[in-house]
Amino acid sequence: MNAMTSGSVAGRGPGVQLVYDFADGDRGMVDLLGGKGANLAEMTRLGLPVPPGFTVTTEACQHYLLRGEEPQPLRLQVTMALRRLENLLGRRLGDVQDPLLVSVRSGAKFSMPGMMETVLNVGLNDYSVKGLADAVGDERFAWDSYRRLIQMFGRTVLDISSELFESALESAKVRAGADTDVELPAAVLRELVDEFKGIVLEQTGRQFPQDPREQLDLAMRAVFASWNTDRARLYRRRERIRNDLGTAVNVCAMVFGNLGDSSGTGVCFTRDPATGRPGLYGDYLVNAQGEDVVAGIRNTLSLEDFAHLNAAAHTELTRIARRLETHYRDLCDIEFTVERGKLWMLQTRVGKRTAAAAFRIATQLVDEKVITNDEALTRVSGQQLAQLMFPQFDADAPRTRLTLAMGASPGAAVGKVVFDSATATAWAARGEDVLLCRRETNPDDLAGMIAAAGVLTTRGGKTSHAAVVARGMGRTCVCGAEEIDIDAQARKLRVGDVVVAEGDVLSIDGSTGEVFAGRIPVVPSPVATYLERGLDVALESADAETADLVGSVDQLLRHADRTRLLGVRANADTAEDAARARHLGAEGIGLCRTEHMFLGDRRVLVERLILADTPASRDAALAELLPLQRADFTTLLREMDGLPTTIRLLDPPLHEFLPDRTELAVEVALARAAGEVDPAREVLLTAVERLHESNPMLGLRGVRLALMVPGLFAMQAQAVAEAAAARLQDGGRPLVEIMVPLVGSVMELHLIRDEIDGVITDVADRTGADLSIPIGTMIELPRAALTAHRIAEVAEFFSFGTNDLTQTTWGFSRDDVEAALFATYLDKGVFTVSPFESLDRDGVGTLVRMAVTAGREAKPDLKVGVCGEHGGDPDSVHFFHEIGLDYVSCSPFRVPVARLEAGRAALIAETGAGAS
Ligand code: PEP
Ligand code: MG
């Protein structure tokens, strides 16, 4: 949807509904109500204890973001919704006697943890604070709630530095001799409110707004505006969330977790989101409100402790968790509050989880008959599988454990310790691995968390900001390491007697929560071992949880193989890579680049070819290359016996095989100056000068080169044909295919085919081998795509070279432009991901689609694949499935990812389930 058109509320007339009561929505309305709003509505519909409230739609936000003002009907609709809420509860917003207070929270379609704003206790002012004190019979609580409102409102709505409030709070604690804010008495809190109001006046030039409705309107506006903070934009860029979606705003009657020891607030997951272990998992904070758990400011209690404190509420929570999991048929995360013993549900959603948890939970739910194998496959992703293939710490390596904390996001991270986000970003930019060590993280640390190899915090549980965000981005994280004392000022941390300064190396294990001194070597992960060496080897030394994980991966990958329609091949040039690709499940080689066969010792032969000044000397040079190439192909075809192997004839410009032009020019000039002219080097320099190109990527390469250097492709084709004949003679089953690069015109392919066909026939006649070698072409120039119907007449197959096709469609030099331009383009939203990484469906994809259709119209049995980098990119794999390619080909390491995604693509395209 384009925000410029359908996002404009004005364009849809005055009757458009911008506000929905929780009781009027459901989880299907996530586009309009955001994730939080839709799920609050769903829980309300299920009859769960949700405090009443209403949601302002994402459409209203889109309008605000576009026009800089709220849509005109919003004010009245909020008034009506507020009236309904007040009538339901029998209390008025900000009433002087028994005030209704509300929370105002953002909630976009896709969860963006901690990225946007929340204001609690809206409706409190100098009068209603007394009403609240009387109503709940707790003066301290009322003043504490009021100071929290001013603090959150000041920071979020009025843009006042939070430091000012924090330091006033700290001084108040010192004055009162209190360790925590819970110990502050009412009188001190009242003074603090005055002080906070003073800060507001001083910083903004106006009084803290006393009108409850004005507070509400300003808070809602701040939530809208928070969609566009730097950190929210950065998060969306990373998560590939569109910028025009906007956020909904949820206005909810307050319930209080900070009404003494029978109250509290917590976050829980229906299973462990880090490991996937079954059973309720979470944190609880006694006498605390709202964000305290997520912020990780205070260390929390476990749910077992919560059960001891309030058995009834814990039982109810367990029952509701089970209900939600059955209803959503997935892991849910839950925010809840207990107000004087009574449980309230504040939020639920399908919870984020680590890659390992995703696989384990998906297959557990199949075992529990909650979902099918098909559904389970849509619940995991290629990206998660790739994460599980990362190495882990070597179990046999010696180590010194400094402390044991919580493993919040798995992986093995080793890096230099840094204490702030800016240093993490700066050091990482110069190529260093860093560990970001913080007391707790907040959303401003996002850039540092992205840059770091791992994150270590000393406060907060598995549901703290650091944990949630790190898990979301697949970053290793250990949190709540209480034994570590960080002195960010002095740039060091202390654990017992050990002092670690900034720049010293630590190793953290995000699965076990261990923190080690120094660098520990890493080894392949069990999932990588399984993929490369099979299930039995992987299970040999696995503990129960690891075995369970490997079993889950195996189950889902095998299901993907059964389900997918796309073939998966690998790009491999050597027998070694080919063997690895086969183990990883490749069903053939989709691209064997032959250029490496012209490097190393063979350079001299290429030099001779280039310098040949007569047909005879050229043929002599080619004749020397021939047996070497034949041996290359014979080994490769032995490794890939019985599987299709596509050999691409030479592509890069010849000067890539010659010495560097500047270095050679300097060498020759120095020799001349010394009177020691070397005629051979002089000739070479002339050739290098002659072959020099300003735009080599658009120059004499691929088929063009073959037409300029007669015999080159014929020699390669002969080597292929003779290798195939030799394999046949040895009883093998070579299924080799020859591919011509950089074709733009059917005539180019014609000319080359004539030459190659002749060579293959000669070899067949000579050897008596029954050679059937399909000849196809890469489609990697827009002109090739546009004339695919003609090219197909001469080709047995197409393979899309989407690297070059992206380069030439956009006019982007693939070697230069990513570093120079892409950060700015990503920032300005020209694209959300590099088109070299994930296929640009609208542009390059349109050419691919057209060429497939035209090619198959001309030749119905035309085989069509892709061998650009996009062949291993999850999102692109879905596109290639949609347009009916026969196979994708990618680097060996990405083969399992492509297999999984191809299976998912078949299911998702069929059922429309899930997202890619
Ligand atoms: C391509 O262009 O997509 C391709 C596979 O060829 P290369 O990357 O070798 O140019
Ligand atoms: Mg190419």
Side-chain angles (χ1 to χ4, degrees), residues 852-903:
V852 173
T853 310
R856 289 207 174 125
E857 263 167 25
K859 184 176 276 180
D861 60 348
L862 184 80
K863 198 155 37 133
V864 185
V866 58
C867 63
E869 283 303 299
H870 305 88
D873 168 66
D875 198 45
S876 314
V877 169
H878 286 248
F879 176 75
F880 298 134
H881 167 84
E882 277 165 35
I883 62 168
L885 294 200
D886 294 304
Y887 66 86
V888 295
S889 187
C890 54
S891 65
F893 192 69
R894 291 172 97 182
V895 163
V897 172
R899 286 165 56 200
L900 191 84
E901 285 296 348

Side-chain angles (χ1 to χ4, degrees), residues 593 648 651 701 742 778 780 801 803-804 814:
R593 293 180 167 101
R648 183 182 72 186
D651 183 15
R701 48 174 289 217
L742 219 74
M778 298 201 59
E780 49 186 347
N803 304 333
D804 274 312
R814 63 197 254 200

Side-chain angles (χ1 to χ4, degrees), residues 598 619 622-623 626 629 633 649-650 705-707 709-722 738 740 751-760 762-763 766:
F598 289 73
D619 289 350
L622 286 170
L626 176 69
Q629 284 266 270
F633 297 142
L649 305 179
L650 193 68
L705 180 67
L707 292 172
V709 184
L712 177 63
F713 275 15
M715 178 279 289
Q716 289 198 288
Q718 186 179 340
V720 170
E722 289 177 356
I738 291 180
V740 182
L751 292 168
I752 292 298
R753 259 211 93 136
D754 280 351
E755 195 181 5
I756 297 179
D757 281 339
V759 169
I760 296 174
D762 277 354
V763 175
R766 197 160 23 88

Side-chain angles (χ1 to χ4, degrees), residues 780-860:
E780 49 186 347
L781 292 174
R783 193 176 190 286
L786 293 167
T787 59
H789 56 294
R790 301 211 51 203
I791 295 179
E793 288 167 12
V794 193
E796 259 103 25
F797 64 88
F798 283 175
S799 178
F800 288 93
T802 45
N803 304 333
D804 274 312
L805 195 57
T806 301
Q807 163 169 265
T808 48
T809 301
W810 280 87
F812 282 154
S813 159
R814 63 197 254 200
D815 291 334
D816 307 309
V817 85
E818 289 205 64
L821 181 70
F822 279 17
T824 308
Y825 265 40
L826 290 165
D827 206 38
K828 294 194 182 299
V830 179
F831 34 67
T832 46
V833 59
S834 156
F836 285 111
E837 196 183 317
S838 194
L839 193 84
D840 153 37
R841 292 181 181 220
D842 292 346
V844 182
T846 301
L847 282 172
V848 175
R849 190 195 294 268
M850 275 173 48
V852 173
T853 310
R856 289 207 174 125
E857 263 167 25
K859 184 176 276 180

Side-chain angles (χ1 to χ4, degrees), residues 512-531:
T512 61
E514 290 166 291
V515 179
F516 302 103
R519 181 179 303 277
I520 301 181
V522 287
V523 293
S525 78
V527 170
T529 307
Y530 150 70
L531 290 167

